[in-house]
Amino acid sequence: MEIVEKYTLKTAREKAGFKQKEAADKLNISVDTLSNYERGNTYPDVIMIKKMESLYSVDYNQIIFLISNNG
């Protein structure tokens, strides 16, 4: 059985060598939006996930989406 590495969005971005501002610019979103995705406050739609897969060179199955603990 193949072991698939898992990454949070932040880890995937950092592993790909992007600062938050660089990644946000390439994804055509604000730094605040990307930050909210990375912290689990909001979640990207399918189109954005596909862009992230391409930019970060990861597969959807490798991404761990954080769950915000807002009470």
Side-chain angles (χ1 to χ4, degrees), residues 10-29:
K10 180 179 179 181
T11 302
R13 172 180 53 77
E14 290 174 341
K15 185 176 179 291
F18 293 105
K19 299 284 185 195
Q20 205 171 43
K21 171 97 172 88
E22 294 171 307
D25 288 346
K26 290 187 178 290
L27 295 167
N28 293 317
I29 58 176

Side-chain angles (χ1 to χ4, degrees), residues 2 7-8 12 15-16 21 28 35 38-39 41 43-44 46 48-50 61 69:
E2 181 182 345
Y7 306 100
T8 63
K15 185 176 179 291
K21 171 97 172 88
N28 293 317
S35 178
E38 290 182 355
R39 289 184 282 132
N41 292 336
Y43 300 97
V46 173
M48 184 56 60
I49 291 169
K50 291 292 183 189
N61 294 325
N69 188 5

Side-chain angles (χ1 to χ4, degrees), residues 50-68:
K50 291 292 183 189
K51 288 180 183 180
M52 290 175 167
E53 283 180 311
S54 177
L55 182 63
Y56 300 160
S57 298
V58 296
D59 185 77
Y60 173 80
N61 294 325
Q62 293 178 276
I63 300 172
I64 299 169
F65 292 95
L66 298 177
I67 299 170
S68 182

